[in-house]
């Protein structure tokens, strides 16, 4: 029967779209679990690092590394962590909104921003709109390696050391839970004084080779580990957001199919009724 | 029972070892280190090499680290292992690559950032998302 051929094909096309979104949802769900594990696995390092840096700050109050010195902000550095791929709801948009309003706030005070972008989406967004992008890294994949980030972070750290920027911020999405991801701006440099919890020790480390070298290496790794954490956390957010978005898409496809099915059935029924009434009235006329 | 200390080996990507040990061997930049409990506090960089841990009972475990930091406190030893081979010139090279990537792929990088345009674009995207959400709610109710 020729009735509702368009509707049938429409239903079929929505069904295949639904298959895709459902598959994407399931892939995102399993990737999210792995990303969360990775997020947890990277935490001890950052914590240990924090402890050591905290000890150092106490043991060496007279020595101030340039990373710890506050100075007047004339230029801002900003590392933006985004996802490589889309289809994850408003995740990147919300983050960029926070970033842009922060940049605007500094801009109004006469402070310009230097950018470092991680992930395709941030690279595309900020290059389209101009802005001083100093470094970028994209396509980190599902298992980001700290080695991929070293260069990118170093550009900003060098900029800070050389006095090109006076403050460094990290923008990424914080993983609250599967349903909630929150854009976050953390200050990386200058390093904020780390907890005054233990002032009681009056000892110092033996440094090998020199206190300065050790501190340099340590602080650099500290910042890198923070950026890495941001990247891993953002990845978990991406997968969670994609899972939710794809679930919504599958549900929508379901309701659409139901509606179309109803219309199709009605049209078919109407056609049958009409045919019968034509036959009946034809027979009655004879 | 022999005296032990707590040893942690962590890298940025994962926790590698955590437990108590009688002795730890590692190669610092200034030379080999053999660490027993109650060692003086020490902070040093590590060379790429093996880290050996003698656990309680004399059993030994070996790990390879490609450099990192070693922190020693009397009863706690922490190794912050690098997962990548680090050297000043290697880092420098990575930094230059990151910069070049930015320069190559981002055509108008030095132009002024268009705040108004960015904000308008983002507002539009957010509005779209909200509209979709509303549509969904309505569909769910009917």
């Amino acid at each position: 029967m020729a009735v509702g051929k368009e509707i049938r094909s429409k239903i079929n096309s929505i069904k295949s779209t639904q298959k895709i979104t459902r598959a994407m949802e399931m892939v995102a769900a399993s990737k999210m679990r792995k990303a969360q594990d990775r997020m947890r696995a990277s935490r001890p390092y950052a914590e240990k690092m924090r402890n050591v840096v905290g000890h150092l700050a106490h043991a060496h109050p007279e020595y101030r590394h340039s990373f710890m010195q506050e100075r007047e902000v004339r230029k801002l550095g900003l590392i933006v962590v985004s996802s490589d791929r889309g289809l994850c709801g408003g995740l990147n948009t919300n983050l960029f909104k926070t970033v842009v309003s922060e940049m605007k706030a500094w801009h109004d005070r006469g402070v310009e921003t230097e950018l470092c972008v991680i992930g395709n989406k941030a690279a595309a967004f900020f290059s389209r709109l101009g802005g001083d992008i100093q470094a970028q890294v994209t396509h980190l994949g599902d298992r980001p390696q700290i080695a991929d980030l070293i260069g990118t972070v170093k550009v900003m750290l060098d900029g800070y050391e050389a006095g090109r920027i006076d403050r460094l911020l990290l923008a990424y999405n914080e993983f609250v839970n599967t349903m909630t991801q929150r854009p976050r701006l953390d200050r990386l440099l200058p390093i904020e004084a780390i907890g005054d919890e233990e002032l009681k020790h009056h000892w110092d480390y033996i440094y090998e080779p020199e206190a300065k070298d050790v501190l340099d290496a340590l602080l650099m790794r500290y910042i890198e580990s923070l950026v890495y954490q941001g990247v891993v956390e953002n990845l978990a957010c991406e997968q969670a957001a994609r899972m939710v978005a794809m679930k919504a898409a599958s549900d929508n496809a379901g309701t659409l199919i139901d509606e179309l099915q109803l219309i199709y059935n009605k049209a078919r029924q109407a056609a049958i009724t009409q045919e019968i009434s034509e036959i009946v009235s034809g027979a009655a006329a004879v | 029972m022999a005296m032990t200390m707590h040893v942690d080996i962590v890298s940025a990507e994962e926790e590698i070892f955590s437990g108590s040990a009688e002795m730890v061997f590692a190669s610092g930049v200034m030379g080999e280190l053999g660490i027993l409990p109650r060692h003086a506090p020490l902070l040093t960089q590590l060379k790429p090499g093996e880290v050996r841990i003698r656990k309680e009972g004399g059993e030994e475990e070996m790990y390879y680290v490609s450099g990192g930091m070693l922190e020693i406190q009397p009863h706690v030893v922490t190794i912050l292992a690098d997962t990548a081979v680090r050297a000043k010139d290697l880092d420098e090279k990575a930094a230059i690559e990151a910069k070049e990537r930015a320069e190559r792929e981002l055509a108008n990088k030095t132009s002024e950032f268009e705040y108004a345009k960015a904000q308008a674009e983002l507002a539009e995207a957010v509005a779209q998302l909200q509209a979709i959400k509303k549509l969904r709610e309505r569909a769910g109710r009917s």
Side-chain angles (χ1 to χ4, degrees):
Chain A
M1 198 166 28
V3 174
K5 195 152 175 268
E6 301 93 339
I7 303 179
R8 273 244 75 92
S9 65
K10 187 95 196 165
I11 289 176
N12 282 334
S13 108
I14 294 174
K15 268 189 186 153
S16 46
T17 308
Q18 191 186 29
K19 264 183 209 151
I20 296 170
T21 55
R22 197 163 280 153
M24 280 183 83
E25 179 194 336
M26 284 189 280
V27 170
S30 85
K31 279 189 180 172
M32 183 188 76
R33 231 159 288 139
K34 278 184 211 145
Q36 267 178 292
D37 290 343
R38 214 160 293 133
M39 199 173 95
R40 246 170 258 132
S42 70
R43 250 178 215 153
Y45 183 80
E47 264 163 41
K48 292 270 148 52
M49 208 64 149
R50 218 181 153 73
N51 284 344
V52 177
V53 175
H55 275 306
L56 271 178
H58 284 309
H60 263 255
E62 78 289 345
Y63 175 68
R64 278 275 178 242
H65 193 272
S66 65
F67 284 178
M68 292 174 169
Q69 273 162 358
E70 287 272 351
R71 45 186 205 227
E72 198 202 333
V73 182
R74 274 163 296 144
K75 195 151 192 194
L76 184 72
L78 194 58
I79 301 179
V80 185
V81 182
S82 76
S83 69
D84 270 334
R85 266 167 278 169
L87 291 182
C88 48
L91 189 77
N92 290 316
T93 314
N94 287 335
L95 181 72
F96 296 159
K97 218 175 120 197
T98 317
V99 169
V100 169
S101 61
E102 178 80 9
M103 279 169 72
K104 182 90 173 53
W106 285 99
H107 177 72
D108 291 344
R109 271 180 271 167
V111 178
E112 291 305 320
T113 309
E114 219 169 70
L115 287 162
C116 160
V117 291
I118 299 174
N120 251 346
K121 290 284 156 187
F125 178 79
F126 287 102
S127 72
R128 191 152 40 84
L129 291 157
D132 186 5
I133 298 171
Q134 287 289 331
Q136 75 155 346
V137 57
T138 56
H139 302 292
L140 290 174
D142 294 329
R143 297 178 57 92
Q145 307 271 305
I146 208 153
D148 301 328
L149 298 171
I150 291 170
T152 326
V153 176
K154 190 172 162 59
V155 171
M156 298 313 262
L157 292 183
D158 285 351
Y160 187 85
E161 206 132 23
R164 213 174 61 227
I165 52 176
D166 307 294
R167 180 172 291 224
L168 185 59
L169 301 177
L170 175 72
Y172 65 102
N173 281 294
E174 183 191 8
F175 187 90
V176 183
N177 55 45
T178 316
M179 297 301 290
T180 323
Q181 297 88 35
R182 208 178 295 140
R184 235 187 117 131
L185 273 169
D186 282 354
R187 182 164 109 178
L188 293 180
L189 291 175
I191 294 168
E192 280 168 283
I194 298 165
D196 287 325
E197 69 270 15
E198 274 178 84
L199 272 170
K200 54 179 184 277
H201 48 61
H202 293 291
W203 48 270
D204 194 4
Y205 290 106
I206 304 166
Y207 296 96
E208 276 182 14
E210 285 290 310
K212 201 189 158 298
D213 298 339
V214 176
L215 257 175
D216 271 351
L218 196 68
L219 290 176
M220 201 160 128
R221 280 170 179 74
Y222 178 60
I223 300 295
E224 278 164 10
S225 81
L226 290 180
V227 176
Y228 177 77
Q229 271 241 296
V231 169
V232 177
E233 192 150 347
N234 196 68
L235 195 71
C237 288
E238 181 194 342
Q239 300 301 348
R242 179 165 301 130
M243 190 181 87
V244 172
M246 287 302 118
K247 184 166 171 33
S250 307
D251 291 352
N252 284 347
T255 29
L256 260 180
I257 290 169
D258 287 349
E259 275 168 26
L260 286 174
Q261 191 71 50
L262 202 65
I263 294 170
Y264 172 75
N265 287 349
K266 274 185 185 158
R268 196 178 69 121
Q269 193 62 52
I272 292 169
T273 312
Q274 200 189 348
E275 224 166 284
I276 291 174
S277 71
E278 271 164 16
I279 292 169
V280 170
S281 57
V286 174
Chain B
M1 198 187 93
M3 250 199 316
T4 59
M5 59 196 160
H6 188 78
V7 181
D8 283 310
I9 305 181
V10 288
S11 79
E13 282 149 36
E14 62 191 336
E15 187 164 58
I16 297 166
F17 175 87
S18 178
S20 55
E22 285 176 3
M23 195 167 179
V24 176
F25 303 87
S27 42
V29 281
M30 306 284 280
E32 292 290 316
L33 289 158
I35 304 141
L36 286 161
R38 293 205 195 150
H39 194 287
L42 175 102
L43 199 59
T44 182
Q45 281 175 278
L46 290 178
K47 279 196 299 197
E50 60 177 35
V51 174
R52 261 189 309 144
I53 298 170
R54 189 184 298 154
K55 297 202 285 192
E56 270 174 282
E59 195 192 329
E60 283 198 1
E61 271 191 45
M62 265 218 278
Y63 294 94
Y64 175 80
V65 294
S66 42
M69 309 289 298
L70 171 69
E71 189 218 6
I72 303 170
Q73 282 187 42
H75 292 284
V76 185
V77 174
T78 310
I79 294 171
L80 302 159
D82 287 342
T83 41
V85 179
R86 305 289 296 257
K88 208 162 172 116
D89 46 344
L90 277 178
D91 286 5
E92 208 75 60
K93 204 172 135 234
I96 291 166
E97 273 170 18
K99 259 192 126 106
E100 275 174 357
R101 268 200 304 275
E103 275 158 20
R104 192 161 359 110
E105 284 176 38
L106 311 171
N108 53 348
K109 84 173 198 73
T110 44
S111 67
E112 190 76 6
F113 187 75
E114 297 168 51
Y115 292 95
K117 202 171 155 199
Q119 277 175 326
E121 212 167 282
L122 286 169
E124 197 187 318
V126 170
Q128 274 176 0
L129 284 166
Q130 271 162 355
I132 291 168
K133 208 172 154 198
K134 277 210 191 100
L135 277 175
R136 238 178 84 66
E137 275 164 13
R138 205 174 304 151
R141 237 181 288 128
S142 62

